[in-house]
Amino acid sequence: MAVRMVPLETKTPWLRLEVTEADVKATDHADLLRMLEQVLLIRRFEEKLLRLSVAGILHGPAHSSIGQEGATVGAMSMLTTGDKINGTHRMHHQFLAKSLNYATPQGYVPLEQDVPEAFHDVVYRTYAEILGLTPGYCGGRGGSMHLRYPEAGVLGSNAIVGGNPPHAVGYAFADKMLGNDNISVTFFGDGATQIGSAYEAMNLAALYNTPTVFFIENNQYAVSTHVSEQTRETRLSARGLSLGVPAIEFDGMDVVAARLAMQEAKNIIERDGGPVLLEARTYRFFHQSGALKGSAFGYREKTEEEEWQQRDPATVFPAQLKKLGVLTDKGLEQIDARVNAVLDGALERLIEHYGNEKKERIFPALWPKPEEADEGIRGDLSELASYRQRELEDVPASELEEVKFLDIMSKAMLRNMEKFDNLIILGEDVHRLRGGTAGATRNIGERFPDRLIGTPICENGFTGMALGAALNGLRPVVEIMYPDFSLVAADQLFNQIAKVRHMFGGKFPVPVVVRSRVSAGTGYGSQHSMDASGLFALYPGWRIVAPSRPYDYIGLVNAAIACDDPVLIVEYNELFKKPGMVPTGDWDYIVPFGKARIARPGSRCTILAYGPMVDICSNVADSTGIDAEVIDLRTLDPLGLDWDTISESVQRTNALMIAEQTARGTSIGSRIVSDAQERLFDWLDHEIVHVTGGHASPVVSKVLEQAALANAGTVEKALRALDARRGGR
């Protein structure tokens, strides 16, 4: 019996754009000349940059886009300043085109007017940035691969392949939510098309209907690996079909084709909503980095390179314009001379000749100051200066009531949703189950359904989307269901969110909050029981807070939401049912970052603790009669520890213990021990004692799970041993 097979069809458009001579003729002549000037400026810019690389003046790689300028210039000619873009490590062409368009005066026509003065500044600052110098857009910190110019709509290029598409979805999501009529374009290559984050980003953009253009520069090679060795379906525009994303393929060596493709993408977005995928079939003439061609490394044939060279936009496009009568040979020479003068003028301001041999070097005064290397990792918290700081101990008893942790978590967030119109919450299942899996978003969906976003299971994608939204005006709160899942989002959490402010100059906010529930002790096993504090602490861009009582939770959440730095809020499942005192009505206070509290005064030794360990250590001190002073750290990140409180205590007690519940390998305490040894050595009369769980992650078996975690017995044993060695009973 023959099985009947019925072909399936998709309603998602999948198109190839083909350009005729009539399309070129129909393009405004001034637009054609402006695009030609940009193509030549970008080409000459990179040729000179490669010369600097060969000369050893450029520190770091030179990922040139030579051969790919046509698609970028054409596409960018259809964007407004309000439209946002990002790109990859190979972004000089996109950065320059977007920045030059921003700098172009209304009505400017090459050959009819002098080169705009603003062009000189764009070229100068771009060269300066790539060379790592202070006049650069990011003060030289970004260099070649990390370019940012937000005024022009460039929100940042990215050196992690596939790292940037989720951000563009976030830009677009923010613009859509804020009512701005802009689109966002993310440029990436054939290599990034094979990465999960690009797929996740496309799915999120389609799901939330964001005005995002996914622009694939298919230059045929990921370093040296041909696209046919990367994927069975080499028509990369097909990637959008399964996700309902309309796709257009076009000749990426044709400037006008790229312009028309972007125009059609904008038309689709305006008519149907976003996103749209564009595939430019193009070619990079040189190797991944540097001034040699791919054939020099043996992965490309010279005949292939020569065939693509015949389609070089820097020669084909001028020929088209001359054929149309838009350009003469003399005009072409004049434009080329003009752009070379701009480029040489910029380099003369950056590079000097010295010595008898006339060697070139950077003007020494342009280098950043070495002592500024750590500046801009995070902000100075001045945004919190107007907030009222208040401790529980300062609130009259008549104004307090006893509640459980779990009962105030969603209320604290709801109050902030009411206060900040640009605050959004996103994560898996946050919009269902009457408050998400932990109950932390209860009642928020009823009040703010458009700002409570339940996401697919794609931590890297939606965390990257949150970063993009934060860079474009929103204040996202990301719920990562279990801390272990932060490893799935590691690129976005650590390569992106933790580093973005510093590497782009440190002068802009990154207001991302991550909430994560530690479920150790609940039987969820090795892949759901992590405390990620130690992992986040490796990246100093993160602030980390761990409230151990309901009052502090309210104050630290308020501070985290208002903060312009990334903040991790660590929530312990073990504490959810713990009762504590909170104000009956006045929740408009913050608990400041970097301020520990004395949970139990004492004189015999100092114990640093956080989360559930605060009460455990206090109870052990009471039961043993060893008068330990227990400090609730509250702020855990190494740059934010309250060393004043710790030092004052240790100077009195002369002994220090650090107690953590989690596995030793991923604990934060080892870093604290190291720093404490340096800071407190003169006052310690005993080695620092570090109490943690075992080496293994907790497993499902109740007995083994309990054995893997530090508890009251572990703390008591360590405390008694410490006290005995100091002459105690």
Side-chain angles (χ1 to χ4, degrees):
M1 180 178 177
V3 177
R4 185 183 177 201
M5 304 294 287
V6 179
L8 298 176
E9 297 181 359
T10 175
K11 295 181 180 179
T12 303
W14 185 24
L15 311 166
R16 178 182 293 113
L17 183 147
E18 296 180 350
V19 175
T20 66
E21 188 172 318
D23 294 315
V24 183
K25 288 182 179 179
T27 306
D28 183 83
H29 288 186
D31 287 331
L32 292 171
L33 288 174
R34 282 192 288 268
M35 290 190 291
L36 174 63
E37 183 176 63
Q38 286 189 14
V39 167
L40 293 178
L41 187 150
I42 295 168
R43 173 61 61 86
R44 305 299 176 234
F45 179 99
E46 295 213 287
E47 288 173 344
K48 295 177 188 294
L49 186 65
L50 290 178
R51 187 185 68 79
L52 296 177
S53 178
V54 172
I57 294 172
L58 173 63
H59 179 65
H63 299 99
S64 79
S65 59
I66 291 176
Q68 300 180 200
E69 308 95 334
T72 281
V73 168
M76 217 72 76
S77 70
M78 296 305 302
L79 302 184
T80 67
T81 295
D83 294 331
K84 315 299 188 301
I85 73 164
N86 66 27
T88 69
H89 54 282
R90 194 183 312 284
M91 198 195 177
H92 305 157
H93 52 327
Q94 290 133 10
F95 182 84
L96 284 167
K98 193 72 164 66
S99 301
L100 290 170
N101 285 337
Y102 173 66
T104 300
Q106 187 73 26
Y108 167 68
V109 181
L111 299 179
E112 295 182 11
Q113 298 158 262
D114 291 337
V115 174
E117 187 60 34
F119 281 21
H120 295 268
D121 187 62
V122 167
V123 170
Y124 170 69
R125 293 188 68 190
T126 306
Y127 268 136
E129 184 57 43
I130 293 173
L131 292 172
L133 307 178
T134 300
Y137 286 99
C138 306
R141 293 182 181 181
S144 174
M145 297 187 289
H146 306 108
L147 297 165
R148 175 179 162 88
Y149 187 12
E151 293 83 358
V154 186
L155 297 193
S157 58
N158 205 291
I160 301 297
V161 175
N164 58 302
H167 305 166
V169 179
Y171 310 156
F173 186 94
D175 270 331
K176 182 179 177 181
M177 184 171 182
L178 296 171
N180 300 324
D181 188 21
N182 302 318
I183 70 168
S184 294
V185 185
T186 180
F187 292 87
F188 54 100
D190 47 289
T193 310
Q194 322 310 327
I195 287 178
S197 55
Y199 174 90
E200 291 177 22
M202 289 184 211
N203 187 50
L204 289 168
L207 183 63
Y208 303 130
N209 213 36
T210 65
T212 311
V213 176
F214 294 92
F215 196 106
I216 302 174
E217 290 181 301
N218 183 0
N219 64 24
Q220 318 300 313
Y221 290 90
V223 186
S224 62
T225 305
H226 191 265
V227 67
S228 63
E229 300 174 285
Q230 302 175 49
T231 179
R232 188 175 187 178
E233 176 53 89
T234 59
R235 298 170 299 174
L236 302 183
S237 55
R239 291 295 193 272
L241 295 184
S242 65
L243 300 173
V245 179
I248 301 172
E249 176 193 289
F250 64 94
D251 181 359
M253 309 299 278
D254 187 325
V255 178
V256 174
R259 177 180 169 90
L260 295 176
M262 184 60 75
Q263 182 180 53
E264 182 57 26
K266 294 187 74 171
N267 291 341
I268 292 172
I269 290 172
E270 183 177 357
R271 183 182 68 240
D272 305 324
V276 176
L277 186 152
L278 300 179
E279 181 192 356
R281 297 187 64 81
T282 184
Y283 200 77
R284 56 172 165 83
F285 290 165
F286 291 93
H287 179 54
Q288 164 79 350
S289 176
L292 297 176
K293 293 185 176 182
S295 55
F297 297 87
Y299 66 86
R300 294 200 299 215
E301 297 293 333
K302 289 184 178 181
T303 53
E304 176 187 305
E305 293 173 337
E306 291 167 359
E307 288 173 1
W308 280 95
Q309 195 79 43
Q310 298 303 311
R311 300 171 57 198
D312 184 355
T315 55
V316 172
F317 190 43
Q320 283 182 300
L321 302 195
K322 285 191 284 187
K323 184 178 179 181
L324 289 174
V326 177
L327 182 70
T328 64
D329 287 334
K330 182 179 179 181
L332 177 60
E333 291 174 2
Q334 289 177 328
I335 291 177
D336 208 21
R338 282 159 55 108
V339 301
N340 273 304
V342 171
L343 299 169
D344 289 338
L347 290 173
E348 287 169 4
R349 297 168 63 189
L350 298 169
I351 299 169
E352 69 172 348
H353 295 277
Y354 70 100
N356 295 330
E357 298 180 7
K358 297 295 183 182
K359 293 181 180 179
E360 293 178 324
R361 72 171 186 178
I362 302 291
F363 280 110
L366 298 179
W367 289 110
K369 298 177 181 178
E371 59 268 25
E372 297 175 350
D374 282 345
E375 289 185 6
I377 292 174
R378 49 191 189 177
D380 59 5
L381 297 179
S382 58
E383 66 274 19
L384 301 182
S386 62
Y387 287 81
R388 179 169 55 102
Q389 300 179 15
R390 197 182 194 191
E391 294 288 352
L392 173 60
E393 291 72 20
D394 299 327
V395 183
S398 61
E399 298 177 14
L400 296 172
E401 62 177 338
E402 187 175 74
V403 297
K404 293 180 180 178
F405 232 106
L406 192 58
D407 293 333
I408 57 93
M409 291 170 66
S410 62
K411 291 180 182 178
M413 192 60 67
L414 181 57
R415 288 174 67 91
N416 279 285
M417 296 288 283
E418 294 169 344
K419 186 175 183 179
F420 294 93
D421 292 337
N422 61 344
L423 179 62
I424 64 171
I425 301 173
L426 66 163
E428 297 159 15
D429 296 302
V430 295
H431 61 322
R432 297 278 191 259
L433 307 175
R434 298 179 182 175
T437 57
T441 55
R442 187 179 295 118
N443 299 322
I444 293 177
E446 289 79 3
R447 291 285 305 279
F448 301 103
D450 295 335
R451 291 162 55 194
L452 183 64
I453 300 105
T455 66
I457 299 175
C458 58
E459 282 84 359
N460 207 48
F462 67 70
T463 303
M465 174 179 152
L467 172 57
L471 295 176
N472 198 26
L474 297 187
R475 305 188 81 86
V477 175
V478 179
E479 180 175 309
I480 295 183
M481 192 180 293
Y482 293 94
D484 310 71
F485 301 172
S486 63
L487 293 170
V488 182
D491 176 44
Q492 296 298 333
L493 290 171
F494 308 127
N495 274 325
Q496 311 295 342
I497 296 174
K499 298 178 181 178
V500 66
R501 168 181 263 174
H502 181 262
M503 75 181 183
F504 284 132
K507 296 183 174 69
F508 57 94
V510 187
V512 177
V513 173
V514 170
R515 291 180 43 252
S516 197
R517 171 176 49 132
V518 179
S519 296
T522 61
Y524 268 73
S526 293
Q527 295 178 331
H528 287 68
S529 301
M530 182 183 188
D531 183 335
S533 304
L535 181 62
F536 278 75
L538 295 173
Y539 297 86
W542 282 100
R543 297 184 185 274
I544 306 168
V545 295
S548 65
R549 57 183 184 173
Y551 181 93
D552 291 350
Y553 185 89
I554 295 169
L556 288 170
V557 164
N558 289 344
I561 298 299
C563 183
D564 286 339
D565 297 326
V567 181
L568 171 69
I569 302 175
V570 188
E571 301 167 353
Y572 292 90
N573 194 87
E574 184 175 332
L575 297 177
F576 283 2
K577 295 183 180 180
K578 173 190 173 183
M581 306 304 291
V582 301
T584 53
D586 181 7
W587 285 17
D588 293 325
Y589 64 90
I590 66 168
V591 169
F593 297 139
K595 182 61 177 175
R597 72 177 180 94
I598 305 298
R600 183 192 187 280
S603 60
R604 187 63 180 161
C605 71
T606 300
I607 302 178
L608 306 184
Y610 58 91
M613 268 297 175
V614 175
D615 282 349
I616 291 173
C617 292
S618 297
N619 293 336
V620 168
D622 290 339
S623 65
T624 60
I626 300 173
D627 190 28
E629 180 152 287
V630 179
I631 297 178
D632 180 358
L633 292 174
R634 298 198 293 197
T635 297
L636 303 184
D637 52 275
L639 296 186
L641 286 176
D642 184 357
W643 284 109
D644 290 340
T645 297
I646 298 169
S647 298
E648 191 279 331
S649 178
V650 171
Q651 288 177 45
R652 287 187 291 102
T653 67
N654 305 119
L656 181 62
M657 175 190 291
I658 298 171
E660 304 177 274
Q661 188 180 59
T662 188
R664 194 173 192 87
T666 54
S667 76
I668 200 171
S670 297
R671 169 66 182 271
I672 298 175
V673 168
S674 175
D675 290 351
Q677 182 74 9
E678 293 181 7
R679 290 172 174 267
L680 308 175
F681 182 81
D682 289 344
W683 293 285
L684 291 168
D685 61 14
H686 189 278
E687 67 185 71
I688 300 172
V689 177
H690 185 193
V691 176
T692 65
H695 296 289
S697 300
V699 293
V700 173
S701 170
K702 187 173 183 178
V703 172
L704 294 178
E705 180 180 43
Q706 291 175 347
L709 300 170
N711 52 34
T714 318
V715 172
E716 180 177 345
K717 180 179 179 181
L719 183 58
R720 286 189 182 279
L722 171 61
D723 192 58
R725 288 198 295 270
R726 298 181 68 222
R729 51 198 172 127

